[in-house]
Amino acid sequence: MQTSTELRNLLNRIDHKSYPAYKDTKGFYQFPGYVLSIDHVQGDPFASPSKVSVHMKGGIAGFPKELYCGKCQKTALQDYLTRQFHRAVEQYAFKAKGSGKSGLISVSRCGQEVLERTACQMDAKSGDIVLRMEIGFPANGRTINARELEKILFDFLPDCVEQSLYYKTCNKKKVRSVIDLAEDQEYIRKQLEVQGLTAFVANGSILPRESGISARPMKGAVAFQSPKEMEVTMELPHKGTLAGMGIRKGITLIVGGGYHGKSTLLKALELGVYDHIAGDGREYVITDASAVKIRAEDGRSIKKTDISMFINDLPNGKETRGFYTEDASGSTSQAANVIEGMEAGAKALLIDEDTSATNFMIRDELMQRVIHRDMEPITPFIDRIRELYENYGISTVIVAGSSGAYFHIADTIVQMDKYVPKEITAFAKKEAESFPALSGLEEPAKKPVFARCPGQNKAYRGNDRIKMKTMGREAVQINRENIDLRYVEQLTDSEQVTALGYCVRYAEKHFFGGRTTIQGVVKKLEEKIMQDGLAGLCESQSNVAGLAMPREQEIFACLNRYRGLAL
Ligand code: ADP
Ligand code: MG
């Protein structure tokens, strides 16, 4: 450990030298109140910026233990501190000048969801804080401008730390309310199980978003109001009594005219697996944390997935107990998505007719008469939906606008009427009586087998230089292999995508190639993350700043879409 004066002297010595001399700054420096760590220094002013972290002792930060002692409290406080630090840092971005990325100061940008991130980590016991950021070390051309870096490290950064990391300077009421909300959300999540629910949507929630490219709440939207028949109440530890729509376990059908708000409700349920910040409008929309959105995904690869529950006797004779394709159809992709969701432990499936393959969902009566069952490889979802619930405990929430086929089989039917939900189960069932039920009496399917053990790719054997690149929310490239995650709709942040890339890379290096199944690999990854944090997957300091925790279900989804998976 060096003193900050030593860092200042070092900066004086390397000023005006050529850029690589910055490399000497790597190390730890004691500043008043915290240790500054220069973890990784960029190679030139245009390269990805340097990684710097601030380490502060819990006793100095001064946050009371009850604000971070539990998992939900800790995640919420870390998220809050990251947002505060982000706000502070924004005032100083590019105030120091120079070429390329000179003067950049950035920390993860948090969206509407509260996620565990490497950007800010607190120790649940000591309250010690690590805050990670990126700084563009300033230069003129490729000549070091150490004066400007001195400004950043000795003026700007201490001010940002002062503004955001001390309990004594923060808005105590606000911090308390953030933790209160997290505790209320956790309470609702636990209540789902107690009350036999798949999801809860509080009255007064604002579900629609401002626009297709903004996750902020729509202004002037119709606030959510539960139908009386479905209303449940909860006694939250802080907010007190809260009423809302309880979606019971089993089969729930959401119907209604076009543009009446069906997909918006489903979308809110999809993201209800995460906690949302105050003011989002969906902070009390809470869904079973294992729920998985299921959709058609033409073109994806499928590796040895047992889709025989839905697909059998293909005309080309292809095996469906372990189905392979590099270019799935709508129905096979959706079947694989269901099975892989089961493999990932989903207790609820969320399906929108808009994004489903029709032939996977239903087969109408006329079609059944013309094309006999024996000629059709697909057992549609409607014939398995009850079995999924009865035999596997998997509930389904399904949005349908054009087909009434699911009326017969649903436990609860909700109609969205001008954005207001109505409970219409009895009425719809009565109407359905005069129509034949489409779903035939099916033999239960054989239990899907999940015994896939990926082999290791040669490229990863003893290789430490595996390149990775995140393409926003859409994809991650690893060793030039693109993993397309566009249709994994419950990913909400590009930092989760980056983390998934690291998961695959880590699994390739450490877990593939033995007798470990995909389920085993995910379990091992989770244990690793539990022990060493997300940063533990990185194996070098150069990229730990920007990772956010994906759910277990998305780790499965990513592995399953990895075309390099050797199965
Ligand atoms: P559907 O799936 O029933 O066709 P959508 O959920 O796509 O309908 O909603 C149609 C439009 O209505 C969207 O532009 C959406 O933002 C808007 N919308 C949804 N819910 C509300 C609401 N509660 N208040 C105001 N507008 C809403
Ligand atoms: Mg829709």
Side-chain angles (χ1 to χ4, degrees), residues 34-48:
Y34 63 90
V35 171
L36 175 81
S37 169
I38 299 181
D39 302 312
H40 175 82
V41 181
Q42 64 202 102
D44 71 77
F46 301 89
S48 110

Side-chain angles (χ1 to χ4, degrees), residues 230 245 247-248 250-256 262 265-266 269 349 351-353 361-362 381-382 385-386 395-416 421-425 428-429 432:
M230 296 177 77
M245 183 170 89
I247 297 182
R248 303 231 149 264
I251 302 167
T252 305
L253 179 63
I254 300 167
V255 296
K262 304 183 295 299
L265 172 57
L266 195 77
L269 296 177
L349 306 179
I351 303 182
D352 195 330
E353 185 190 73
M361 298 305 291
I362 47 160
F381 189 72
I382 192 166
I385 189 167
R386 179 56 59 191
S395 299
T396 303
V397 179
I398 180 166
V399 165
S402 67
S403 164
Y406 282 82
F407 283 141
H408 296 277
I409 203 138
D411 298 313
T412 308
I413 303 166
V414 182
Q415 179 191 355
M416 291 304 289
K422 307 236 159 89
E423 201 268 358
I424 59 159
T425 314
K429 292 271 183 198

Side-chain angles (χ1 to χ4, degrees), residues 134-361:
E134 293 192 322
I135 295 180
F137 283 13
N140 299 319
R142 290 179 198 280
T143 307
I144 288 180
N145 186 342
R147 289 278 153 271
E148 294 295 290
L149 184 57
E150 200 179 336
K151 271 195 219 162
I152 296 177
L153 300 181
F154 288 84
D155 298 338
F156 302 170
L157 205 50
D159 187 42
C160 294
V161 170
E162 179 72 30
Q163 284 182 41
S164 54
L165 295 191
Y166 290 105
Y167 184 61
K168 63 177 193 291
T169 54
C170 77
N171 179 341
K172 296 182 186 59
K173 246 177 105 179
K174 175 75 193 155
V175 179
R176 189 61 243 178
S177 75
V178 165
I179 305 304
D180 287 353
L181 176 58
E183 289 175 352
D184 281 350
Q185 288 165 332
E186 193 190 38
Y187 177 84
I188 300 175
R189 232 173 257 294
K190 286 193 176 139
Q191 275 296 304
L192 291 182
E193 195 49 51
V194 176
Q195 303 201 23
L197 304 175
T198 291
F200 174 78
V201 185
N203 292 341
S205 296
I206 300 297
L207 307 187
R209 301 294 95 190
E210 193 170 63
S211 75
I213 51 163
S214 163
R216 286 217 281 273
M218 177 188 275
K219 292 188 189 80
V222 177
F224 190 86
Q225 184 63 43
S226 170
K228 271 282 163 270
E229 301 85 342
M230 296 177 77
E231 199 163 274
V232 296
T233 55
M234 300 198 180
E235 294 298 327
L236 309 192
H238 302 286
K239 194 182 165 68
T241 309
L242 183 64
M245 183 170 89
I247 297 182
R248 303 231 149 264
K249 290 185 179 181
I251 302 167
T252 305
L253 179 63
I254 300 167
V255 296
Y259 223 70
H260 280 253
K262 304 183 295 299
S263 297
T264 303
L265 172 57
L266 195 77
K267 193 90 223 158
L269 296 177
E270 288 165 29
L271 290 175
V273 299
Y274 301 111
D275 288 344
H276 289 87
I277 54 169
D280 173 82
R282 299 168 297 185
E283 49 273 60
Y284 303 109
V285 179
I286 304 284
T287 309
D288 181 316
S290 70
V292 170
K293 170 71 179 284
I294 301 292
R295 56 168 293 159
E297 194 179 345
D298 311 35
R300 64 158 286 190
S301 76
I302 297 173
K303 302 256 179 190
K304 210 177 170 179
T305 301
D306 179 0
I307 56 172
S308 62
M309 186 178 235
F310 300 104
I311 312 222
N312 287 287
D313 308 319
L314 287 171
N316 57 9
K318 255 192 176 181
E319 172 64 66
T320 59
R321 293 282 291 172
F323 185 73
Y324 287 89
T325 179
E326 282 300 317
D327 183 11
S329 65
S331 57
T332 50
S333 63
Q334 199 161 355
N337 287 349
V338 172
I339 300 298
E340 290 166 1
M342 294 171 79
E343 183 177 28
K347 284 289 160 229
L349 306 179
L350 308 173
I351 303 182
D352 195 330
E353 185 190 73
D354 289 358
T355 50
S356 292
T358 309
N359 61 346
F360 176 76
M361 298 305 291

